[in-house]
Every structure is written in C-alpha cells, then in structure tokens.
Amino acid sequence: METLMENRNPPDQEAVDRGMVHRPVLLERCLALARPALEHPGSVAVDCTLGLAGHATAFLRSCPEARLIGIDRDRQALGLATGRMRDEGLADRFTPVHAPFDQLDQQLDALGVGQVDLVFMDLGLSSLQIDQRDRGFTYRQDAPLDMRMDTSQELTAAQVLAEYDQEHLADIFSRYGEERYAGRIARAIIEARQEQPLTTSAQLDRLVDRVVPRGHRPPGNPAKRVFQALRIEVNGELDRLRRTLPQAILRLAQGGRLIVESYHSLEDRMVKRFMAPGLHVDLPAGMPVVPDQARPYLSDLTHGAIKADPAERERNPRSASVRLRAVEMIGSIPEVRRRRLQAEARGEVSDGRHRHVGHGSESRRRS
C-alpha cells in the first residue's frame, strides 16, 4: 500500500489553482448528511474519490472529532490533496492512500481499520483532471487521447481507438455512452485509422461531428457520449463502482452513512439499484409479521436523488448533472444478503444489466 508519494510530474499551476478554489458540488448538502455520522470521538470517514480534497477538508473542518482516509488512484491529485491538508492544519487527522476505490477493503485492512462511520464517493472527474490539457478528458480543447485516472496504467483512450475491433467499439459506445449512432461511429473510426491513427481529442471530435446526423443530435457536443464511454472503458469505472458499493455497505457501523454523487445516468441507476434492497421489507406483500432478518437495514436520507439548484448550476456548470443519494445503516444486514454483498464485492455476481466489455489489455480484440 502506498500512502504518500512525491509529485513527480507537476501539473500546470494554473489548472491546479483553478481546482483548488473550485467549490465542491453540493457541498452544504453533503456536510449536512455527513455530520451526524462524524460527531462522536474516534469517528472515521473514507473519501473514496479524494481529488483535490474539497469535500474532505470540509468534512474535517466541520467534524473535529473525525479522522479521514482519502483514497485516490491519481498520484498528482493525491499529492496535492496531501499538501492541502498540511497547509490547512488537518494532516494529523488525514491518511492518504494511493489506490483505486475498489480496493477499499484491502486498504482498510492494511490500515487496521474495521468499521467506518462514513463512506463518501464523488464520481465526477476532479477539477485537476478536467483542467489539465494533457490528460485528454474533455473535447473542449485539443489534447492527447489519454483519459487515464491512474497514469501508471497501460491502457489509454488512443489505444482503445487503435486496437479494439468495430464490434467492441460499438458495444462500449452503446453501453457506456448510450450513443444512438454507436455502430456508425465505430465503423468510421475503423476506416479513419487505416489512414491515420486517432490520437487527439480534436480528431475524435471532428469524426463524431461528421458522422452524427445534425437533425438527430442531443443538446451539446455530439461527441460527449463517445468521450464518456471511452473514459469509462479506459478506467473500468462501472465495474469498479459495482465492486465498491458492497464493500462500503459492509464496512459501515450502525448509524454510518454512504453518500454518493453521480454525474451520468449509468452511475446513478447503479447506485439506486444497489441501495434499493436495503430500504424495503424483503417479504411478499401482506405478511402479518415481519421477522428481523427481513426488515430494512438502510434508511433513505435523500428520498430519491438530490439535484443542484439553479443558483449552484449558475455558479458551477459542472453541477448541472449531479445526482446525490445517501443512506444510513439502521439495522443488521441479513445473512443471505451479506453473502451476496460479499460475492458482489469480489466481482462474482453480475446485476444482469451490464456486461463488462473489456477493461485492460488482456481483453482487447483487434480488427
């Protein structure tokens, strides 16, 4: 396990400064949800998506009895967040961990931590990732098609476009981007790369603009869904989220809370479906007595998804698509459900709605 690292590749300072002053999405709502779980001495929070520590520093300032474990797979972000904690006088209550968040169990075990009181996940890209041009996450500026959250991994977006066959490309655009013209775009990529590799965001943006009919475009840039799908594929985001949510619930103490901010429909649906079994009585309707093992073990704190209000969307356009959901642990998890959660955490159970289509070099298919 790595808990601290030097910043070997200093990011563009202007991008860092913008990220540092950027107000986290739905911060006050997140604080209000987190505080009741972190008011007692010795309380432990885990921020699974630390980024530049906007939410994390606010949690620690607001909850002086708490300590926080911050997990991030991005070395640059983790190094900057660690420095920010030090500068704000919070370092003694903060433990940084370099890892993907689906290693939650492994990292907590290594730290000797059992149950925790808060697990927080902000699934959007960090300001650092968006604002650094050379990371290639956005179509708004020309950049290399990288899209790796952990720059030490092998697979990049450019490699996906260069090495995946047409069927595979169409599958990820359809599945992860919900792109109506996935097949056409995939075919155009195969044809284009015979002449010239697609290595920059501008090249891909122009290709999608050429392929998607102008009369059938959703609002915004027509390449948005393709970029989303590539980012999810490169980083294995949905598979990691599917494994992490059960780990989080199994680690929560009584009264502990899980807070998740999602930014596209695939994530939000996964979070909603994951939370649902714990919120309802697990018996046929009309049963006269509800045994303890069938009672809900979660309480819905947000009663559906909370969205940013118009004022926040105006201040921060990145909040426009956020969906915030939170639950509290109020009872014991039934043994049958616990065993299923453990299997889901190991990646042994599929929800039947999503099929993993190839994160990493071992599953690539060449045309």
Side-chain angles (χ1 to χ4, degrees):
M1 179 186 68
E2 298 177 72
T3 57
L4 265 176
M5 73 296 303
E6 60 183 84
N7 186 16
R8 296 174 183 167
N9 298 302
D12 174 74
Q13 189 59 46
E14 182 182 356
V16 173
D17 291 343
R18 286 199 303 273
M20 284 297 192
V21 300
H22 173 62
R23 186 172 178 81
V25 173
L26 292 178
L27 179 61
E28 294 305 321
R29 300 301 295 267
C30 291
L31 283 174
L33 289 165
R35 282 191 196 101
L38 300 177
E39 290 177 336
H40 63 276
S43 56
V44 178
V46 181
D47 187 337
C48 289
T49 50
L50 183 64
L52 294 174
H55 286 95
T57 53
F59 290 153
L60 289 180
R61 286 195 302 266
S62 181
C63 305
E65 300 290 348
R67 62 189 179 99
L68 183 140
I69 299 164
I71 299 174
D72 207 293
R73 62 197 294 192
D74 188 321
R75 287 178 176 272
Q76 281 188 352
L78 193 60
L80 290 164
T82 301
R84 182 177 185 178
M85 288 289 185
R86 182 183 60 246
D87 294 344
E88 297 200 21
L90 301 171
D92 61 332
R93 293 191 286 131
F94 172 66
T95 303
V97 175
H98 177 237
F101 56 56
D102 62 334
Q103 290 183 11
L104 178 62
D105 275 336
Q106 176 183 333
Q107 302 302 333
L108 291 180
D109 286 345
L111 291 169
V113 174
Q115 291 187 309
V116 300
D117 302 284
L118 174 71
V119 177
F120 175 73
M121 305 179 76
D122 181 352
L123 300 175
L125 291 172
S126 74
S127 296
L128 178 64
Q129 290 165 338
I130 293 173
D131 292 336
Q132 274 195 276
R133 179 176 176 179
D134 63 356
R135 302 296 289 272
F137 281 104
T138 178
Y139 45 78
R140 293 186 176 91
Q141 52 190 356
D142 194 14
L145 282 169
D146 190 313
M147 297 193 187
R148 293 174 297 172
M149 293 179 179
D150 180 352
T151 55
S152 68
Q153 77 170 44
E154 177 190 354
L155 188 65
T156 68
Q159 286 179 266
V160 170
L161 296 178
E163 300 178 6
Y164 282 22
D165 65 24
Q166 182 174 325
E167 179 186 1
H168 200 178
L169 288 171
D171 198 8
I172 65 171
F173 297 153
S174 175
R175 191 175 299 273
Y176 293 158
E178 299 179 297
E179 170 55 57
R180 178 179 178 182
Y181 296 99
R184 291 191 192 181
I185 295 169
R187 183 167 60 252
I189 288 170
I190 298 298
E191 293 171 354
R193 75 189 190 191
Q194 305 305 319
E195 303 295 328
Q196 181 183 18
L198 293 167
T199 59
T200 71
S201 54
Q203 286 176 293
L204 181 58
D205 185 40
R206 288 193 297 268
L207 182 145
V208 176
D209 184 61
R210 187 176 71 250
V211 171
V212 177
R214 294 192 177 275
H216 299 277
R217 296 183 176 188
N221 191 306
K224 179 179 180 179
R225 296 173 184 269
V226 172
F227 273 72
Q228 173 183 297
L230 280 173
R231 192 197 78 217
I232 291 172
E233 171 67 11
V234 167
N235 296 288
E237 292 176 38
L238 293 180
D239 291 317
R240 292 187 189 279
L241 178 60
R242 188 178 293 108
R243 291 190 295 268
T244 305
L245 290 169
Q247 294 178 51
I249 286 293
L250 290 168
R251 288 284 181 167
L252 285 184
Q254 288 297 303
R257 296 183 169 197
L258 170 64
I259 302 173
V260 184
E261 289 185 310
S262 305
Y263 292 83
H264 59 74
S265 59
L266 296 177
E267 291 173 340
D268 184 53
R269 285 200 296 267
M270 184 178 292
V271 173
K272 178 181 178 180
R273 287 167 176 161
F274 172 78
M275 292 176 172
L279 296 170
H280 305 291
V281 173
D282 187 20
L283 282 176
M287 295 291 289
V289 178
V290 179
D292 289 343
Q293 64 268 24
R295 295 183 184 278
Y297 54 88
L298 297 176
S299 173
D300 188 353
L301 299 174
T302 53
H303 305 290
I306 294 175
K307 303 177 184 180
D309 61 28
E312 178 156 4
R313 294 198 299 270
E314 179 68 25
R315 289 193 308 270
N316 178 13
R318 292 176 185 170
S319 69
S321 60
V322 70
R323 301 292 183 270
L324 170 63
R325 298 182 187 271
V327 291
E328 179 179 8
M329 182 66 69
I330 60 169
S332 299
I333 302 174
E335 186 57 34
V336 171
R337 178 62 179 160
R338 180 177 293 275
R339 289 197 296 269
R340 181 176 175 86
L341 287 169
Q342 290 168 341
E344 290 173 352
R346 295 190 297 268
E348 296 173 0
V349 177
S350 170
D351 63 6
R353 299 179 179 90
H354 297 278
R355 177 178 60 85
H356 177 62
V357 296
H359 167 61
S361 57
E362 71 278 4
S363 58
R364 292 180 219 160
R365 293 181 291 178
R366 298 176 185 269
S367 57

